[in-house]
Amino acid sequence: MDFSKDPSGLVPAIIQDDNTGKVLMLGYMNQEALEKTKNEGIVTFFSRSRQKLWTKGETSGNFLHVVSMAEDCDHDTLLIKVHPDGPVCHTGTDTCWGETNEANDVMFLKELQDFIDRRHVEMPDGSYTTSLFKKGTNKIAKKFGEESVECVIGAVSGDDENFIYESADVLYHLIVLLAHKGYRIEDVARELRSRHH
């Protein structure tokens, strides 16, 4: 980062929720705040009004856990993607613009994929997803097929509630199968997008 561009030695840091894509707030960092943020994995700013470092959440408990950090093309602005512990604004709202920090429903598929990927790495005992991964490709594919058939039955029987329920099972098991094969739901979306064009 080029902290020399501003006489105060500060750069703006845009804070964005990694799951929802919502911009949560804008703060400022000096070199020390940036280093503390990198070292601790929790966002720390430089308060211009108090003239000192402050870690977001040190009073409220609503910390901002760093997922990724990127400099802009001029090396004078940061984009920090986070997982927030709660509302970000001091007024109690989710964002400093009064917006609700919720992903649209389709974006939840990315969050679900991330969760399933973690299960694939951690393999915790007692997890249904872990049990699927342990059974291997053939069993996961078979389960996906079974859920697909149940989805079809729900569709043709006119039972819309069951159709939606089984459709969710199909998507879940597809994501498990994708993760097992080393892919993500975004790979499927990319294929669909290429066909659309």
Side-chain angles (χ1 to χ4, degrees):
M1 287 301 298
D2 187 352
F3 291 94
S4 66
K5 289 188 177 181
D6 188 282
S8 65
L10 300 176
V11 296
I14 300 162
I15 308 300
Q16 181 182 31
D17 188 305
D18 186 58
N19 287 327
T20 67
K22 286 276 188 184
V23 174
L24 303 176
M25 66 172 292
L26 172 72
Y28 292 88
M29 289 185 169
N30 60 9
Q31 181 72 52
E32 188 181 1
L34 178 58
E35 290 306 316
K36 189 169 195 271
T37 298
K38 285 179 180 177
N39 292 334
E40 297 181 1
I42 295 174
V43 177
T44 293
F45 296 106
F46 182 82
S47 169
R48 295 175 299 168
S49 59
R50 291 178 278 172
Q51 288 293 297
K52 67 176 189 173
L53 295 184
W54 66 280
T55 300
K56 182 67 177 165
E58 62 191 13
T59 304
S60 66
N62 297 333
F63 295 101
L64 301 172
H65 302 274
V66 176
V67 175
S68 66
M69 301 175 74
E71 299 178 16
D72 75 335
C73 55
D74 292 324
H75 308 288
D76 60 4
T77 303
L78 284 165
L79 174 62
I80 304 176
K81 294 184 180 181
V82 302
H83 289 154
D85 279 338
V88 170
C89 187
H90 69 282
T91 64
T93 58
D94 288 350
T95 79
C96 289
W97 291 271
E99 296 176 303
T100 301
N101 184 26
E102 291 178 355
N104 65 44
D105 292 336
V106 172
M107 283 297 292
F108 174 72
L109 293 177
K110 177 189 176 297
E111 191 175 334
L112 179 60
Q113 176 81 65
D114 292 342
F115 173 80
I116 290 171
D117 284 349
R118 283 195 304 277
R119 282 287 194 259
H120 196 212
V121 171
E122 297 165 3
M123 299 290 274
D125 291 334
S127 160
Y128 173 69
T129 308
T130 297
S131 72
L132 287 172
F133 284 131
K134 286 182 176 177
K135 290 176 183 174
T137 305
N138 290 347
K139 293 288 189 182
I140 298 171
K142 182 181 177 198
K143 186 63 177 169
F144 171 70
E146 291 169 1
E147 297 298 343
S148 299
V149 169
E150 290 175 14
C151 180
V152 170
I153 292 168
V156 298
S157 70
D159 184 350
D160 289 347
E161 185 176 341
N162 183 253
F163 169 60
I164 293 299
Y165 183 88
E166 295 300 342
S167 294
D169 281 350
V170 168
L171 282 173
Y172 167 79
H173 287 90
L174 172 61
I175 294 172
V176 171
L177 185 56
L178 285 164
H180 180 71
K181 299 286 288 178
Y183 295 100
R184 287 181 56 92
I185 195 70
E186 291 92 337
D187 295 305
V188 178
R190 197 172 300 114
E191 173 64 21
L192 288 170
R193 179 181 286 170
S194 72
R195 294 182 192 184
H196 182 69
H197 293 302

